[in-house]
């Protein structure tokens, strides 16, 4: 866990520096971990439907401490999974080669005597028992081959109802209505933020300090525009109240088979991958692959209420610009009008006060916990 009250002289300036300090404060105050947590901005579930919630499981998190929820990823977890599992195979010819032609003929002759015929799931154990007497030297390899064949067939059958234009939506965990119910029993947290004392060192985080900040003072504002720079370089303080905080798992539904996917990850050879494969192992799991990590869970809240003060000096024109764009959502939650009530006021000579209160009944997704694909599959750090 990163220390909260130790400013770093080497921390980036501007919105990135302010965002790093905010990140550490959120992680520390809400008992999260910098080894996995990613801030999501804007911080809400849209649309308020099951697919809207499950979208967070679909998105491939970028390597950044902050991710823009408006960002459109070209890849989706389900699409990548389906493209891999749909092409996996373990041909009968490979099984025959592994156990030998004579053993294969004896095995198939034995199967022909059975009634009813065993299922694909029964074959591995059946072969092991048969082979321990009739072909002990290939008992294990044959059993393993048949197990992979059964595994792939089962995974492809589970996937079938979800593919195609009329396929069911790929679910990730429980429903939106269940999330709302859970938030009613979540915990309440309050904390204060001070840009002068908050720790800005994020080098020990899961990204190694990488944080791609896409917004400035308001949602859509360039981080380096005039008003954002003035704000980020001022003394920023915040009083934050979070209600109904829960950790919400994004567990892939019945369409997903972890054993088959882990087998594909751990075995880049043919079989189970076809030759050629589209996509190939490197295109998905390689150093620059399409699936380096997944979003494993969300930090969601029933509501947020934050008051921010800044000692920045804004000209009348700057004040007018900020007031115009405030309905789009202001730092750090960027909740737009309709999702929150945001008010902004300015002092006679200096200073700005912002208050943002999320709309009742609208879950606020503060961020999520990221896992490398290897860790997610339980076959390595990834």
């Amino acid at each position: 866990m990163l220390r909260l009250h130790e400013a770093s002289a080497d921390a980036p300036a501007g919105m990135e520096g302010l965002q790093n300090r905010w990140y550490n404060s959120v992680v520390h105050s809400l008992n999260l971990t910098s080894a996995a947590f990613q801030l999501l901005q804007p911080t809400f579930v849209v649309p308020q439907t099951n697919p809207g919630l499950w979208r967070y499981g679909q998105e491939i998190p970028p390597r950044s401490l902050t991710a823009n929820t408006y960002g459109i990823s070209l890849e989706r977890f389900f699409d990548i999974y389906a493209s891999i599992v749909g092409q996996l195979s373990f041909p009968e010819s490979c099984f025959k080669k592994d156990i030998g032609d004579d053993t294969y003929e004896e095995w198939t002759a034995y199967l022909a005597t059975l009634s009813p015929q065993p299922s694909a799931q029964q074959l591995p154990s059946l072969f092991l028992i048969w082979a321990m007497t009739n072909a002990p030297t290939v008992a294990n390899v044959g059993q393993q081959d048949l197990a992979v064949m059964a595994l792939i067939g089962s995974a492809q059958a589970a996937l079938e109802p979800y593919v195609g234009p009329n396929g069911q939506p790929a679910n990730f965990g429980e429903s939106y209505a269940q999330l709302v119910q859970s938030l009613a029993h979540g915990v309440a947290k309050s904390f204060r933020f001070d840009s002068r004392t908050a720790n800005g060192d994020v080098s020990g985080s899961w990204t190694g300090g990488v944080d791609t900040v896409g917004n400035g003072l308001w949602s859509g504002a360039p981080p380096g525009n005039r008003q954002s720079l003035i704000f980020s370089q001022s003394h920023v303080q915040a009083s934050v109240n979070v209600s109904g905080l829960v950790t919400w798992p994004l567990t892939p539904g019945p369409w997903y088979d972890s054993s088959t996917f882990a087998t594909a990850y751990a075995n880049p050879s043919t079989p189970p991958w076809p030759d050629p494969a589209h996509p190939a192992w490197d295109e998905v799991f390689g150093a620059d692959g399409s699936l380096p990590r997944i979003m494993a869970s969300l930090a969601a809240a029933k509501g947020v209420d934050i008051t921010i003060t800044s000692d920045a000096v804004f000209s009348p024109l700057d004040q007018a610009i900020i007031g115009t764009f405030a309905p789009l959502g202001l730092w750090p939650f960027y909740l737009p009008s309709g999702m929150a009530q945001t008010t902004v006021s300015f002092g006679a000579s200096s200073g700005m006060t912002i208050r943002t209160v999320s709309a009742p009944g609208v879950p606020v997704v503060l961020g999520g916990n990221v896992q490398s694909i290897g860790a997610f599959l339980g076959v390595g750090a990834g």
Side-chain angles (χ1 to χ4, degrees):
M1 185 69 69
L2 296 172
R3 289 171 292 176
L4 179 62
H5 298 297
E6 184 178 319
S8 170
D10 298 325
M15 289 301 298
E16 182 180 348
L18 180 63
Q19 185 73 5
N20 288 348
R21 287 170 163 77
W22 171 250
Y23 174 89
N24 283 340
S25 296
V26 170
V27 165
H28 176 90
S29 302
L30 301 185
N31 297 321
L32 302 167
T33 173
S34 62
F37 188 68
Q38 180 181 71
L39 282 166
L40 295 175
Q41 296 175 326
T43 52
F44 56 88
V45 176
V46 176
Q48 297 171 45
T49 61
N50 291 342
L53 172 61
W54 297 336
R55 170 197 161 192
Y56 287 103
Q58 289 276 31
E59 297 286 344
I60 311 303
R63 183 171 173 253
S64 174
L65 298 180
T66 304
N68 188 345
T69 53
Y70 285 138
I72 300 176
S73 172
L74 297 178
E75 303 281 358
R76 295 289 185 272
F77 180 86
F78 174 82
D79 296 335
I80 296 171
Y81 172 84
S83 69
I84 293 172
V85 171
Q87 69 175 330
L88 296 179
S89 68
F90 198 102
E92 187 81 9
S93 59
C94 293
F95 170 62
K96 181 179 180 180
K97 179 181 178 182
D98 284 347
I99 65 173
D101 292 347
D102 292 343
T103 301
Y104 180 79
E105 289 181 10
E106 294 173 9
W107 164 247
T108 53
Y110 166 70
L111 284 182
T113 67
L114 301 181
S115 182
Q117 284 290 292
S119 67
Q121 286 69 36
Q122 292 172 321
L123 287 178
S125 59
L126 184 63
F127 178 84
L128 182 63
I129 295 170
W130 175 87
M132 290 302 291
T133 300
N134 298 279
T137 59
V138 295
N140 287 330
V141 68
Q143 185 265 345
Q144 291 167 5
D145 287 357
L146 289 169
V148 173
M149 293 166 69
L151 189 67
I152 292 173
S154 177
Q156 291 174 342
L159 185 61
E160 190 173 349
Y162 298 86
V163 298
N166 298 318
Q168 301 175 29
N171 59 318
F172 288 80
E174 297 181 326
S175 68
Y176 180 87
Q178 289 168 311
L179 169 62
V180 173
Q181 293 174 1
S182 179
L183 295 174
H185 306 287
V187 301
K189 294 279 187 178
S190 297
F191 66 96
R192 292 187 175 275
F193 169 78
D194 190 315
S195 64
R196 287 185 177 173
T197 59
N199 177 19
D201 181 9
V202 293
S203 61
S205 67
W206 67 273
T207 70
V210 176
D211 193 7
T212 305
V213 178
N215 291 298
L217 176 54
W218 60 86
S219 181
N225 76 355
R226 171 184 165 80
Q227 296 80 20
S228 299
L229 285 176
I230 293 174
F231 173 71
S232 64
Q233 293 167 2
S234 69
H235 184 197
V236 178
Q237 296 175 284
S239 175
V240 187
N241 295 292
V242 178
S243 61
L245 182 67
V246 299
T247 298
W248 188 253
L250 293 171
T251 307
W255 53 269
Y256 176 78
D257 188 294
S258 60
S259 296
T260 303
F261 209 42
T263 296
Y265 177 88
N267 298 281
S269 58
T270 300
W273 292 77
D275 184 15
H278 302 287
W281 190 96
D282 284 344
E283 294 177 279
V284 179
F285 300 124
D288 298 316
S290 60
L291 191 60
R293 61 193 71 87
I294 58 95
M295 186 69 77
S297 62
L298 298 175
K302 183 179 180 181
V304 295
D305 184 339
I306 181 170
T307 300
I308 297 172
T309 61
S310 164
D311 65 357
V313 178
F314 288 107
S315 70
L317 176 59
D318 289 334
Q319 294 179 24
I321 292 173
I322 294 169
T324 298
F325 288 107
L328 297 178
L330 298 174
W331 185 88
F333 295 129
Y334 301 104
L335 292 169
S337 177
M339 295 292 170
Q341 181 180 14
T342 299
T343 58
V344 56
S345 59
F346 300 90
S349 58
S350 67
M352 175 179 66
T353 299
I354 301 168
R355 187 180 183 198
T356 299
V357 181
S358 63
V362 178
V364 177
V365 179
L366 302 176
N369 293 302
V370 176
Q371 274 190 313
S372 69
I373 189 62
F376 174 68
L377 293 174
V379 289

